Amino acid sequence: MTRYYRLADIIGERIEQGLYQCGQRLPSVRSLSQEHEVSISTVQQAYRVLEQRQLVEPRPKSGYFVSQKHDLPALPAMCRHAQRPVEISQWDLVLNQLQGRAQGVTQHMGMGIPDVTVPSLKPLTKYLSRIALNTDLSSLNYDEISGSLSLREQISRLLVDSGSHISPDGIMVTTGCHEALSIAIHALCQPGDIIAVDSPSFHGVTQILKGFGMKALEIPTDPLTGISLDALSLALEQWPIKAIQLTPNCNNPLGYIMPDAHKQALLTLAQRYDTPIIEDDVYADLAYHYPRPRTIMSFDEDGRVLLCSSFSKTLAPGLRVGWIAPGRYMDQVIHMKYIGTGATATQPQLAVAEFIRRGDYHKHLRAVRTRYQLNRDIMTDWICAYFPKASRVSRPQGGFVLWIEMPERFDSLRLNRQLEGSGIKVAVGPVFSASGKYRNCIRISYARPLTAEVEAAIKHIGKLMQQQMDEFTA
Amino acid sequence: MTRYYRLADIIGERIEQGLYQCGQRLPSVRSLSQEHEVSISTVQQAYRVLEQRQLVEPRPKSGYFVSQKHDLPALPAMCRHAQRPVEISQWDLVLNQLQGRAQGVTQHMGMGIPDVTVPSLKPLTKYLSRIALNTDLSSLNYDEISGSLSLREQISRLLVDSGSHISPDGIMVTTGCHEALSIAIHALCQPGDIIAVDSPSFHGVTQILKGFGMKALEIPTDPLTGISLDALSLALEQWPIKAIQLTPNCNNPLGYIMPDAHKQALLTLAQRYDTPIIEDDVYADLAYHYPRPRTIMSFDEDGRVLLCSSFSKTLAPGLRVGWIAPGRYMDQVIHMKYIGTGATATQPQLAVAEFIRRGDYHKHLRAVRTRYQLNRDIMTDWICAYFPKASRVSRPQGGFVLWIEMPERFDSLRLNRQLEGSGIKVAVGPVFSASGKYRNCIRISYARPLTAEVEAAIKHIGKLMQQQMDEFTA
C-alpha cells in the first residue's frame, strides 16, 4: 500500500461520509501535504486516484472539487418485520437462480461471481498448471483433513490484516465458504434450533438452516451500519438463540461495513447471552478502503467467533477453496468436515497458497478493488438514469453487488418472467430472506466489465420495471 | 478387453472357486483352444497372464499347473453380534487414523489410498495442467450445481459397465464419494433414525450417521457373499429402518463381491419394506475380473437405489471428484449438495472427463487391476509367513485392502501403540464398526509397490502380534 493510496482512501472516505458536499472545493494540495506530512507529489497522485474513482473533478486553476456525480440515490429502507423464528422456504427460487445457464440466460445480472478475466489472476493459472505436472504427485493424494499446511500458513498471514493472530493450527480449509458456513452451523446447532441472521442475508445460509431443519430469526438490518443491535438484544432476551450468523463486512447483499463500535457491542451482547457468532467474511478483502476492515473475531477473546471465508469472491469460485477459523469449536468442526467431504481438493489449495506467498494476492486485490469501486459508481449512475425514480439503491463499501429496493407493489419475480427470452436475469429479493420477504427488491452484480451490452441490459430491465410501476398508477 | 485376457479371467475364476486344486494339472492348451474356440496362441497368452498373476506355474514338458502358493489362509468368521441400533462412537480412533502424517508415520499400512505413481495415470496430470492454462477461464467459475456436463456424460457411459443406463441428468457430481454418501444419508434420514449397515463397514458412513445423530444397526456380513439377508430381513421386520447402506462390490474392508442373486434378493427385501438402498460402489471398478460386477442399482426398477461412487480409489483421492446417481431422490439430493458445498471444484472434473473420454481410464484400470491382484497374493503370502498362525485373512475379489482377524484376545489398538516410533501404523478394527467391535482385527492395504521395506514392516507387525499371542499362552 503506497502513501498516496492511503491518502486517497482517507479523502475518499470523507467524501463518502458527506464531510465534503457535491460540487464543494476540496483542500488544496499544499494544505493536504502539510496536514498529512507527505510530499506535494503524493497529494497530487492521491487526487489522480480519486479522479479515476470519479469522486473528484479537477477544475483548471481552481483545484479539486467533489464530483457532481455524487448526487446519490436514496438508500434502501431498514425492514421492520415481525421478529419471530420461521421455517425456511424459497428453495425453488434459489434453485431457479442457480440454473440460469440451462435456461439460456447469457446475462445473469444477479450472480455473486467475481471477474475471473482480470490479468492479475494470470499467475494463478500458471501455478495450477505447474502443480498438476509436479513429479512428486503428493498433490493427487488425500490432503490432511484440516487442509494443506502451506495454505493454512498463508491464511494465517492474511488474517493479520483483519486484526487477528491465529496460527495455522486454528484454521481448517473447506470446499468454499459454503462448506465453512454449513460446518459451523451444523457443529453448533440441532434441528429445531433458532439462529439469528441479518436480513436481507445470503441465501446459502438460510438454505443450510432449512436443510438441517433449523429456524431463522431475521433481525432488521440497517443499510449503512448493519444488524440492529437493539432488535438483536430484544431477540436474545425473547428466544433461545443458539447462534448469531451475519456478514458484517462488505455485506451481501447490502454492501455496508459495520462500524467497529457496533462489532464490539455485538460481541458484548453475544458474551452476555453466551452465544457463538458465525461471521461470514467472504467479501471483506474486497473493501474499497485500505486497510481492510476488522472482523468481529479480531475483538473476540474467548473463542466464540467462527470466522468463515473463501477465495471464491476474491479469486475464483471454481477453485472451491474456503476456510474456517472456528475458535474454541475446532474439534466439532473437524468432525463435521470429515462427515461432509472428508478432505478438500489438493491442487487448488497449493496454487492459492503459492499465489498468496508470492505477493500476487495483494497485487490482485489492489487491481480488483479499484475496478469494483469504479464499477459501483458507473452501475449506480446507470440505475439512476434507467430505473424508475422511486428506486432506492445501496451504497456498497466493498464487494460487487448492489441491492435495489422498489416500492412495495413492484414484483421482482414478475420482472424475471418478463425478462424470459431476453437472455437477461436478475437475482430476486425473496431468496435473500428466510421467509420470502423483499419481493420488491433485486440484487445486481457489477463485477464483470461494464460494457455497452450490460448498459443495454440495465436499460431494458429499467423499462420493464417502469412498466410495472405505470400499471399501478394507471 | 482382448480375448486372452477374457480367457485368463475365466480360468482364474475357476481356480479361485476351487474347481482346480492346488498343484493340479490344468487343461491343455489344445483342449482350451477347442473349448473356447480361440487360437492356440490366445490360450498361450492367457496362461502367461495367469503366470504373472501367480495363479499357475508351467512345468517343462508337462503343461500348466495350479500354483502351489494357493494354499490360502482361513477366512475371517462372520460376526454374530446382537442386532440392536447403536449410537456411534469411535470418532477419536478414526481421527487418529487420519492423522498419521502428523505422528511421524511413514508407512501407514492401513490407509485406503490407491497407488498414484502408476504410469497409466500420467495423462491425467497432463490434462489437469492443460485445463489450468485454458484461455476461456470458465473452469475458474462456479460449475453447475450438479457438476460439469462433460463429466456426467462420461460417468453415464461408465455406468453401462455396471448394468445401468442413466442419463447425465440422473447424475450429480460430488466432492468425493464421501460427500455422495453424506448427501444420500442426509437426504433420506432424520436425527434419531435407524440405518442398517453391513458390518464391518466403511468408517466414513458410521461417522456420517454419528454427525447427523442417527443410529446404526449392524447386520452380520459373510466374508464371501456379503450382508446376511436373513439377518437383514429380521431387522427390517423388527425395526423402523429408514435406509440400508452397504458396499456390495469389492467391499471395504472385506473385499467380497456379493453374488448377483443376493443383490436381487436384497432389492426384493427393500421393496417389501419400501426402504431405499444407499449403495457404495467406490472400489467396484477395481474388481479383478472383467467385466466388472453389476450394481444393485442395475436390478432396480423403481429408483430406490442411490448409487455413490468416486474416482478416489481408481484414480486419485486428492482430486475429490465423486458422484451420486440418486434415482428418484434427485430433488432432495440437489438441495443437500447446495447446503453442503454449493459446487464441486471445476478443473479436476474436466480433467477426469477428458481422461475417460480418451480411453485412458479403461487402460489405467487394466493396469492397476492386474497389479492389485498380484499384490493381494504377495501380501497374503507375507501374512501367512510372518503373522501368527491363528490369523484369518480375507480373500478380496477387487480393490486393495485385506482384513485380518485374530483371536479375540488380540488387541489392535495395543499393536498400534507398540508400533509407535517405528513409523509403521495399521488401521484398527473398531473404526469399521459403529459400536467399536473388531478390536481383534486390522486392515492392511496393498496398493503401494510391495517393496522389501513393506515386507520388513509386515514382518515387524507379525512379530509384535506373535508377542501379544505368546503373552496369553505364557
Side-chain angles (χ1 to χ4, degrees), chain A residues 22-64:
Chain A
C22 265
Q24 192 182 331
R25 188 170 182 274
L26 286 156
S28 71
V29 170
R30 184 167 305 271
S31 70
L32 281 174
S33 150
Q34 281 165 355
E35 181 190 344
H36 296 277
E37 295 179 358
V38 294
S39 72
I40 294 286
S41 85
T42 298
V43 181
Q44 284 168 330
Q45 279 176 300
Y47 268 135
R48 230 163 284 142
V49 168
L50 291 167
E51 240 187 289
Q52 277 167 4
R53 292 186 192 163
Q54 300 188 312
L55 280 173
V56 312
E57 302 175 335
R59 291 196 200 152
K61 295 185 187 158
S62 319
Y64 287 90

Side-chain angles (χ1 to χ4, degrees), chain A residues 270-344:
Chain A
Q271 282 166 340
R272 191 179 315 149
Y273 291 90
D274 195 17
T275 312
I277 297 170
I278 302 170
E279 179 174 15
D280 182 347
D281 197 55
V282 74
Y283 284 93
D285 275 355
L286 296 175
Y288 303 145
H289 293 110
Y290 189 89
R292 57 144 285 166
R294 288 185 64 168
T295 55
I296 298 174
M297 169 174 263
S298 72
F299 297 103
D300 179 29
E301 285 172 352
D302 48 357
R304 71 174 63 250
V305 178
L306 299 90
L307 190 70
C308 302
S309 192
S310 85
F311 299 97
S312 298
K313 307 303 178 189
T314 46
L315 301 181
L319 300 167
R320 309 309 297 129
V321 178
W323 50 271
I324 181 168
R328 62 165 110 134
Y329 303 98
M330 184 57 101
D331 289 352
Q332 297 98 301
V333 158
I334 289 264
H335 191 244
M336 293 303 138
K337 171 70 186 176
Y338 181 66
I339 72 155
T341 56
T344 308

Side-chain angles (χ1 to χ4, degrees), chain B residues 159-170:
Chain B
L159 276 168
V160 176
D161 292 345
S162 65
S164 289
H165 295 269
I166 295 170
S167 80
D169 286 348

Side-chain angles (χ1 to χ4, degrees), chain B residues 297-311:
Chain B
M297 170 173 262
S298 72
F299 297 103
D300 179 29
E301 284 173 352
D302 49 357
R304 73 173 62 249
V305 178
L306 300 90
L307 189 71
C308 302
S309 192
S310 84
F311 299 97

Side-chain angles (χ1 to χ4, degrees), chain B residues 202-224:
Chain B
F202 172 46
H203 41 79
V205 166
T206 36
Q207 290 305 316
I208 289 166
L209 299 183
K210 179 184 171 67
F212 289 124
M214 299 162 188
K215 286 177 189 160
L217 182 54
E218 301 181 271
I219 309 292
T221 298
D222 183 276
L224 278 182

Side-chain angles (χ1 to χ4, degrees), chain B residues 416-437:
Chain B
N416 262 350
R417 281 199 303 275
Q418 291 173 309
L419 285 167
E420 267 169 31
S422 70
I424 304 167
K425 192 169 177 174
V426 301
V428 297
V431 302
F432 300 94
S433 160
S435 53
K437 295 176 194 59

Side-chain angles (χ1 to χ4, degrees), chain A residues 88 177-197 201-216 242-246 276-280 306-308 324 326 329 332-333 336-337 339, chain B residues 186 211-212 339-340:
Chain A
I88 292 108
C177 189
H178 219 108
E179 190 183 28
L181 291 162
S182 185
I183 282 175
I185 289 165
H186 195 189
L188 297 174
C189 311
Q190 304 288 327
D193 280 355
I194 300 167
I195 289 89
V197 296
S201 65
F202 171 46
H203 40 81
V205 167
T206 37
Q207 291 303 318
I208 289 166
L209 299 183
K210 179 185 172 69
F212 289 123
M214 299 163 187
K215 287 177 188 159
K242 275 293 178 64
I244 303 163
Q245 195 287 316
L246 76 173
I277 297 170
I278 302 170
E279 179 174 15
D280 182 347
L306 299 90
L307 190 70
C308 302
I324 181 168
Y329 303 98
Q332 297 98 301
V333 158
M336 293 303 138
K337 171 70 186 176
I339 72 155
Chain B
H186 195 189
F212 289 124
I339 73 155

